[in-house]
Amino acid sequence: NFFNTGAIGFKALNQLFYTWKLAFKVSWLTQNLTQPLATTYPLLARHYKGVDVEKAFISSYEQASKYLMHRLKGNAHGLSSDLIYTLNKLHRQGVLGDQMTRFQLGVRNLSKEEFSKWMGLFGRAGEAVNRTHAAISGYNVARDVLGLTDKTAIIDFCKNCVYKSQFTYGKHDLPQIITGAGNLRNFVRTAYTCKHFVVSYLQLLNSMMPWRGAPMRQSLRALGILLAQA
């Protein structure tokens, strides 16, 4: 029975739900790719001033595109060996991986789930761009603004930048009512993803307000993007 109460039945139902709502939806990919505007962009305003914020944001995209091409074709033209080392390290640690897509699909390892891997293609692509961009933004701040030289410290700073702007998606981020839902938890987790994003974004937005000690340039950018996307 396709809709039996066992783990296999709920997994199939979960994949059907994702396929219906998100798989190969250009609107979903576009929406996903706009996330850095609301998160990474205002975070950069804490460390840069004036138009340097916009320059840093755009520059990180240029570097991200080069690194992603390097991952695909092996051409690392225009990237420092230290930056490639840092990003490769983060990639191996799963920081730049498809956390949200796996969260939505209810699978632990997409490389072992051929159907889920292809159904989540647009989600994975969006995450790869967003998380790589956030990591490079963090790397540039760490090296150029904060003057960090220790590789471990730089990697930790980049990781924090990714998780702060692109959020974490794992069992530790789920309410107990979902983790205790038995075979149904993966399906419920998919439906919970949007709420999890909203809660994480509101927490980030609050941290970028004046009462949290954020500079006015950061608060204005965070609120400006929020109003522009409303």
Side-chain angles (χ1 to χ4, degrees):
N1 185 354
F2 184 82
F3 292 105
N4 64 67
T5 56
I8 296 177
F10 280 124
K11 180 179 179 180
L13 183 62
N14 187 79
Q15 291 178 333
L16 179 63
F17 181 80
Y18 182 92
T19 303
W20 173 46
K21 284 289 188 179
L22 302 174
F24 304 115
K25 296 290 180 65
V26 176
S27 58
W28 166 239
L29 175 61
T30 304
Q31 179 182 341
N32 197 4
L33 288 172
T34 62
Q35 182 174 331
L37 279 171
T39 56
T40 310
Y41 172 58
L43 280 176
L44 287 173
R46 179 177 287 272
H47 303 284
Y48 296 97
K49 296 180 180 179
V51 296
D52 286 342
V53 180
E54 288 71 31
K55 289 180 179 179
F57 185 73
I58 295 172
S59 176
S60 293
Y61 269 120
E62 294 172 351
Q63 291 173 290
S65 64
K66 291 178 180 178
Y67 176 73
L68 291 172
M69 288 302 294
H70 162 66
R71 294 286 306 175
L72 291 173
K73 298 184 177 181
N75 183 1
H77 178 71
L79 298 177
S80 69
S81 58
D82 188 64
L83 174 58
I84 293 175
Y85 168 83
T86 301
L87 294 174
N88 286 345
K89 186 80 171 180
L90 292 171
H91 178 77
R92 288 193 296 270
Q93 292 177 354
V95 178
L96 306 183
D98 34 39
Q99 292 188 18
M100 182 175 67
T101 304
R102 285 187 284 109
F103 188 89
Q104 292 170 325
L105 284 165
V107 297
R108 293 182 179 180
N109 191 342
L110 279 173
S111 64
K112 298 180 180 180
E113 302 279 350
E114 197 66 25
F115 178 79
S116 296
K117 182 174 70 175
W118 286 105
M119 286 302 100
L121 180 62
F122 279 21
R124 291 166 54 218
E127 278 194 273
V129 173
N130 292 350
R131 290 179 177 272
T132 301
H133 176 265
I136 292 174
S137 296
Y139 176 87
N140 292 334
V141 169
R143 290 294 301 268
D144 302 337
V145 180
L146 302 181
L148 299 181
T149 56
D150 181 73
K151 289 186 176 181
T152 301
I154 292 173
I155 289 172
D156 287 342
F157 188 86
C158 293
K159 188 184 301 183
N160 181 64
C161 186
V162 173
Y163 286 156
K164 192 169 185 178
S165 63
Q166 305 307 310
F167 314 135
T168 58
Y169 295 87
K171 62 182 181 181
H172 53 280
D173 299 300
L174 295 169
Q176 188 174 1
I177 190 173
I178 294 179
T179 57
N183 291 328
L184 187 59
R185 65 178 177 270
N186 286 340
F187 177 70
V188 178
R189 181 167 62 180
T190 300
Y192 176 75
T193 304
C194 292
K195 183 175 182 181
H196 174 69
F197 172 83
V198 171
V199 170
S200 298
Y201 173 66
L202 289 176
Q203 290 174 338
L204 174 64
L205 185 64
N206 181 59
S207 72
M208 297 188 289
M209 292 298 106
W211 55 81
R212 288 290 187 177
M216 187 58 65
R217 62 181 182 274
Q218 184 180 33
S219 303
L220 290 175
R221 282 177 169 84
L223 291 174
I225 292 296
L226 175 63
L227 293 174
Q229 292 183 330

